[in-house]
Amino acid sequence: MSKIGRFFRESRAELKKVVWPSRQDVVSSVLVVIISTVIMAVILGLLDFAFTEAFRALMK
């Protein structure tokens, strides 16, 4: 039995044990990631704007 052949047989056996998420679980997880990313982008954008304006006010 070659090492490569055994590797693929064992990999296939392990993949059969995996409990794959449902489509609904994947969609809801993706939505959570997208919403979280948008929220963080808005927060960072607001902080960037605030710091930029603060430094401009200090430089005047």
Side-chain angles (χ1 to χ4, degrees):
M1 179 182 313
S2 72
K3 288 183 180 181
I4 295 174
R6 189 172 87 200
F7 170 77
F8 283 113
R9 277 190 292 283
E10 289 176 3
S11 297
R12 186 173 181 177
E14 287 299 318
L15 283 173
K16 288 182 180 180
K17 297 177 187 177
V18 173
V19 178
W20 298 101
S22 68
R23 182 178 184 89
Q24 184 179 1
D25 289 339
V26 173
V27 169
S28 64
S29 296
V30 168
L31 285 175
V32 167
V33 169
I34 290 171
I35 291 168
S36 301
T37 302
V38 169
I39 290 170
M40 289 305 298
V42 169
I43 290 170
L44 290 174
L46 291 172
L47 284 172
D48 181 53
F49 177 75
F51 282 119
T52 301
E53 291 301 316
F55 284 120
R56 280 190 187 151
L58 288 174
M59 294 300 180
K60 285 185 178 179

